Amino acid sequence: ADATPLPDASEHPRMTAMAALAPTLRGAPLALATPRGTRALSRKASSSVRKGSRRAHVAVAADAGSASSALDTLMGAKIIATDGGGDDSVRSSVQQYYGETLKTSDDLKTSACCTPYDLPKKIRDILSNVPDEVKAKYYGCGSPTPQGIDGLRVLDLGSGSGRDCYVAAALVGQAGAVTGVDMTDGQLDVANKHAKSYCVDVLNYESQNMTFKKGTIEDLKAAGVEDATQDLIISNCVVNLSPDKPAVLSEAWRVLADGGEFYFSDVYCDRRLPEDIRAHPVLLGECLGGAMYVEDFRRLCVRTGFTDPRVLEGHEIEVLDPALRELLGEAKFYSITYRLFKVPGRLESICEDYGQYVVYKGTIDGHPHAYSLDDHHRIEKNKPFLVCGNTASMLGETWLGKHFDVFGDRSVHYGAFDCGGPPVAMPGGDGSGACASGACC
């Protein structure tokens, strides 16, 4: 990775905290990647972007003791409790906001916890049969439920009132299983209230394939989720609310089976947020106060084991409240859907060329003609498509494998693979923006 020296605190007043941490960080066995610009995110911008050939340099950082804690603080991964308390105080603030302050999604002050773009027809049809009470308490920012997941074991982190679980229950079928984990009693009450009748009376299943557990997403073992028991993890605008994001990703890695995927939508920022923003109770509840700088999130993925995070789609978030807009200044926020695959030992830090190609069979429900792995890999049915080693593994060694034929192996290496630039970049640029987060660009 391209190493970047830590800045001098005298260059800018906000660098004081970084300078204080510098001795610890400089002594740690890690390297910070040079940011290549925030990725993704405006649908309007995507049409004018020129594809580039830049490659993302992936940070390789050791996960070690106090240095890890210092790095998490530096990156803004820690939310600051408004009363000076610890993680439990942060969770209490979130529970109050979602369990008491917000009555319905109409009470939101930003578009962060809304889904602005069109949902696939099948998802819309499923939602039409989901109980109104479940939908009224929905606070998601994207559509983190892929189609074609029949028979899979699905886990929803921060499932809330259960809307996405209800959708997943219909998609996985009677042979699949869906588990929702949430820490808010009021939300869990709504989710459990309709679960059995929905599965048996609406979906016509012999038994309920959907359960809800109380717990935190930082400690799934305490909620009864065992190692390697999930094929797919989904989450909708929840990870940003966590006071310990490294623990969330570590737990996701632990409970995923090999070949599994963490497919989720969340809120990210184009910069590291100052402490007063991260401690603001309304901004925290609105999913902005806990938003990570998108490049720091990428580094965290790499450190956890999700070596090549892929961006599927994204959009800019609108701050509706004038007072909040003034407080946030020039900071911009984005909802991004990420795909993180667990393929141990198979994903490399940059894309490598082994002469492989794939053929899509056209068998994923809702995608009869082509399938988009991410924002710059759209693969047409029956048409050979050249791929790097990472993409070949994602399509051939995961739950997607039955839908693709992969040709070639890694016996011969032809050097670095040029994936071409992604079709999404920051709004306002000339379209040649940096690559989407992850190795493949």
Side-chain angles (χ1 to χ4, degrees):
D2 294 338
T4 302
L6 289 167
D8 190 323
S10 63
E11 295 177 2
H12 194 286
R14 287 189 179 178
M15 295 302 167
T16 304
M18 291 180 70
L21 291 166
T24 303
L25 292 171
R26 287 191 178 114
L30 56 87
L32 295 181
T34 302
R36 307 298 292 269
T38 305
R39 321 306 196 219
L41 308 199
S42 168
R43 297 182 73 203
K44 293 181 179 178
S46 65
S47 61
S48 62
V49 173
R50 296 193 305 269
K51 291 188 176 181
S53 59
R54 303 179 186 178
R55 305 184 61 81
H57 292 264
V58 176
V60 179
D63 188 9
S66 61
S68 174
S69 177
L71 184 62
D72 292 342
T73 302
L74 174 66
M75 288 180 171
K78 289 287 187 182
I79 298 172
I80 309 299
T82 56
D83 59 0
D87 291 356
D88 288 342
S89 180
V90 173
R91 294 189 185 100
S92 177
S93 175
V94 172
Q95 284 178 302
Q96 181 177 8
Y97 197 77
Y98 284 89
E100 300 174 22
T101 303
L102 296 180
K103 303 304 180 185
T104 72
S105 55
D106 292 335
D107 297 326
L108 293 165
K109 299 179 183 296
T110 74
S111 67
C113 297
C114 304
T115 305
Y117 45 83
D118 292 337
L119 295 171
K121 183 180 183 304
K122 181 164 186 175
I123 302 298
R124 296 198 307 271
D125 290 344
I126 292 172
L127 282 171
S128 68
N129 291 316
V130 172
D132 290 339
E133 185 179 12
V134 171
K135 291 184 286 189
K137 284 281 191 177
Y138 164 73
Y139 305 119
C141 63
S143 179
T145 313
Q147 297 185 68
I149 59 174
D150 185 64
L152 297 190
R153 299 165 296 177
V154 178
L155 173 67
D156 186 2
L157 300 185
S159 52
S161 64
R163 194 201 79 150
D164 291 331
C165 287
Y166 279 68
V167 172
L171 292 173
V172 300
Q174 179 71 78
V178 178
T179 303
V181 174
D182 202 89
M183 65 179 182
T184 306
D185 289 328
Q187 294 281 65
L188 288 168
D189 289 343
V190 173
N192 279 309
K193 180 178 178 181
H194 306 279
K196 184 174 182 179
S197 61
Y198 175 77
C199 291
V200 176
D201 299 332
V202 176
L203 300 181
N204 296 316
Y205 294 163
E206 292 181 1
S207 60
Q208 181 177 331
N209 72 340
M210 174 173 56
T211 59
F212 295 93
K213 299 175 180 289
K214 183 173 182 178
T216 67
I217 61 176
E218 300 90 355
D219 187 5
L220 296 173
K221 184 176 285 291
V225 185
E226 300 300 325
D227 296 1
T229 56
Q230 305 299 317
D231 303 306
L232 178 71
I233 298 176
I234 60 175
S235 184
N236 203 338
C237 206
V238 170
V239 175
N240 71 88
L241 297 171
S242 170
D244 190 354
K245 296 173 181 66
V248 175
L249 286 190
S250 293
E251 280 291 85
W253 179 270
R254 179 185 67 80
V255 303
L256 277 174
D258 287 355
E261 179 185 3
F262 189 6
Y263 182 114
F264 67 109
S265 298
D266 221 294
V267 176
Y268 302 88
C269 191
D270 68 346
R271 64 197 68 198
R272 292 171 183 149
L273 295 170
E275 184 172 318
D276 60 328
I277 298 297
R278 289 186 285 130
H280 195 286
V282 175
L283 289 175
L284 172 61
E286 293 281 333
C287 301
L288 302 185
M292 285 187 74
Y293 171 41
V294 67
E295 291 295 337
D296 287 340
F297 175 74
R298 180 176 60 82
R299 296 181 180 106
L300 181 58
C301 290
V302 172
R303 194 177 70 188
T304 304
F306 296 110
T307 306
D308 188 356
R310 299 292 180 93
V311 171
L312 179 62
E313 58 192 357
H315 62 270
E316 187 169 354
I317 289 168
E318 181 183 4
V319 180
L320 307 174
D321 186 86
L324 294 184
R325 282 203 305 269
E326 179 65 23
L327 184 62
L328 293 169
E330 292 298 306
K332 295 188 182 342
F333 297 84
Y334 303 91
S335 169
I336 308 175
T337 299
Y338 269 105
R339 307 190 71 169
L340 311 180
F341 291 93
K342 182 179 179 179
V343 194
R346 298 291 287 169
L347 301 184
E348 300 179 273
S349 60
I350 66 171
C351 299
E352 303 291 355
D353 188 352
Y354 298 99
Q356 295 171 287
Y357 68 95
V358 300
V359 174
Y360 173 48
K361 301 176 183 178
T363 52
I364 298 178
D365 194 22
H367 305 277
H369 306 297
Y371 182 77
S372 293
L373 173 67
D374 53 36
D375 61 4
H376 57 297
H377 286 83
R378 184 163 178 82
I379 306 167
E380 290 188 52
K381 177 183 176 181
N382 294 332
K383 181 179 180 180
F385 189 93
L386 293 174
V387 294
C388 67
N390 284 0
T391 298
S393 290
M394 291 176 186
L395 296 176
E397 301 171 32
T398 69
W399 68 272
L400 293 167
K402 65 183 179 180
H403 303 290
F404 289 86
D405 288 323
V406 179
F407 296 87
D409 54 32
R410 299 192 182 189
S411 59
V412 179
H413 182 231
Y414 298 98
F417 186 93
D418 183 7
C419 284
V424 287
M426 284 295 296
D430 63 1
S432 61
C435 302
S437 294
C440 192
C441 56

